[in-house]
Amino acid sequence: MTLLHIGWDFLKRKKGAFGAIIALQTLQVLLSLIMPAINARIIDDGILPENVPLIWRLGGVMLGIAILQILAMVGAIYLGAKTAMELGRELRARTFRQVQSFSATDQHKFGAPTLITRTTNDVTQVQMVILLTFTVMIMAPLMGFGGVFMAIQQNARLSLLLIVVVPLLGALIFFVIRALAPRYQIQQKRIDRINTLLREQLTGIRVIRAFVRQDTEREKFDKANKNLRDIWLQIGFLWAFMMPAANLIIGIASAAVVWFAGHLIEAGDMQVGALTAYITYLMMIMMAVMMSGMMVMMFPRGDVSAKRLQEIHDVDPSVKAPASPKSLPSGPITFELDGACLQYPGAEEPVLSDINMTFTPGKVTALIGSTGSGKSSIIRLLPRIIDATGGEVRGGGIPVTELAPKELRSRMALVPQTAFLFSGTIASNVAGSPSSEAAADPERVKRALEAAQAWEFVDKLEKGIDAEVESGGKNFSGGQRQRITIARAIYRCLPDESGVRQADLLIFDDSFSALDFITDARLRAGLRSFVGDIAVFIVAQRISTIREADEIHVLDAGHVVGRGRHEDLMETCETYQEIVSSQLSAQEAR
């Protein structure tokens, strides 16, 4: 069982807490088993013969036992909850770290919605089962076996009823478990579906409204919601059926006990106090069976969730650090694509073939091509978001597969195609720190904003660089988000207090599309004065953005079909000429 494997791996490192929980639960059960016997003595030896001193003495003993029982119960629940929460924290952290190590291909195998569900809902299910194990599963068998032993002590003949009652309860629980297990699997998949649709609709809400697809999307969500409701109703029906059925069995058993015990008392073979104690022990036994059944019914869902988590943990990331990674030389360094090829798993044709590009310090290299030509795939190769399936990618003359991905990526600054800001402040977003206070160099933040042509609007804000940023930057316009995102990358290219630049390659992935032509031109004109002699790589759709580059590469269907400056390509590359003619007049293209 995957759940047992995950739980045991964790509990082996929590032997002290686990042992304390078992000790406290055992003490609690022993004390609860003693109470009915003492109560029986109070009735038989105290109340019936009117022995008041004995009643007071045994009552005081019961009070002391009750206090100890409460303390043991509180201690066991506290330690159990604390340990279960620690397991949940560890599972979430482990799952998150594993997902962070995934390449784009690894992430595509699962998809974002199910990764979110597994990191949240599935971890919670495993955590809940572990908590119930500490609070219920340890106590239930002790109470069950102890109750049987104490019941036999009260009256062995009456205990023959247990031979009938306990198997009946067991059969009921077994039936419900068999019906629940497959439904829990279906339930988790349908939760994934709900998350998928919700994420799609929230992300594409503007498209939905623009194309008046509200009714269609509503129908899709209603169908998925109805399917989830149906499986929940089936699970709820099984739970609802089990409880009254179990209570019916327990009620009949209690009535039978009173019936047969009445005859035994009449015959003088049993005392009234022993009957009350026996009924209490019978309730304990039934409660133990019910708690075990509840635990066993929760176990299938926890095991389904554990298997879903284990699927993530078992993935061997396709992009990982070598056993003995090499170190990059001090910057600035040169990055190269040498005959690089890329073919995605399951694809019939490669998306990139024989790509040769060199990103030299102090040089602006540009890439242009039609949509779907493979531009973004080249950007994924450089920081090892995905590995080349042919050829080689090098940084500082060292193949990137021989470098630790963390070090490689730390030497690059990327402006993604889609601008995204994190909740916090402008300073924390630009500096890449969790809070503005951690941004040790506000002057550097300001310079990055100036380089990105963002200081003009940031300076007008009441709090300046400490102005609040909502998740995703929703309180800023598209152009403002884009400029702050650009400033975040430029920040890493600026020298720190010791004069060292963190990044050696600045990559713009079609990052100027949200900017007007004037802002675009100003940004590129002043960029070199800020970033110094590091290499700059611009991927763009607009000719005006890349025409001044030192070297332009023209990409078509995964192949480089042209290479050179703007003037050279206008003479030699037909594909480039077509792109230029679609955007500029003949006079502007000169």
Side-chain angles (χ1 to χ4, degrees), residues 479-490:
Q480 290 173 334
R481 285 198 301 269
Q482 190 70 60
R483 281 179 278 175
I484 296 174
T485 304
I486 292 172
R488 180 170 57 203
I490 293 177

Side-chain angles (χ1 to χ4, degrees), residues 85 201 253 286 414 476 549:
M85 296 307 108
Q201 292 173 6
M286 299 301 143
L414 171 66
F476 291 97

Side-chain angles (χ1 to χ4, degrees), residues 152-222:
I152 293 174
Q153 292 293 315
Q154 296 299 322
N155 194 292
R157 290 170 58 188
L158 201 58
S159 299
L160 294 174
L161 284 170
L162 298 175
I163 299 174
V164 178
V165 175
V166 173
L168 277 176
L169 280 174
L172 171 65
I173 293 169
F174 176 76
F175 165 76
V176 175
I177 290 170
R178 285 198 61 183
L180 279 175
R183 286 170 172 80
Y184 280 139
Q185 292 180 346
I186 297 171
Q187 179 193 42
Q188 294 304 107
K189 291 179 180 178
R190 292 185 180 178
I191 291 174
D192 282 347
R193 177 61 178 164
I194 286 285
N195 282 337
T196 300
L197 290 175
L198 189 60
R199 189 169 184 271
E200 285 178 352
Q201 292 173 6
L202 290 175
T203 304
I205 189 166
R206 288 191 292 181
V207 177
I208 293 170
R209 289 174 178 173
F211 288 90
V212 198
R213 289 182 55 86
Q214 290 94 326
D215 292 340
T216 303
E217 295 300 319
R218 187 182 297 112
E219 289 175 6
K220 285 169 61 177
F221 188 83
D222 286 346

Side-chain angles (χ1 to χ4, degrees), residues 524-560:
R524 288 183 291 102
L527 184 62
R528 183 58 66 188
S529 63
F530 286 96
V531 302
D533 58 352
I534 70 169
V536 177
F537 180 31
I538 301 176
V539 176
Q541 298 274 9
R542 295 198 306 221
I543 291 294
S544 59
T545 301
I546 55 98
R547 67 182 297 169
E548 302 298 330
D550 298 308
E551 185 176 50
I552 302 171
H553 294 255
V554 184
L555 196 65
D556 184 26
H559 296 81
V560 175

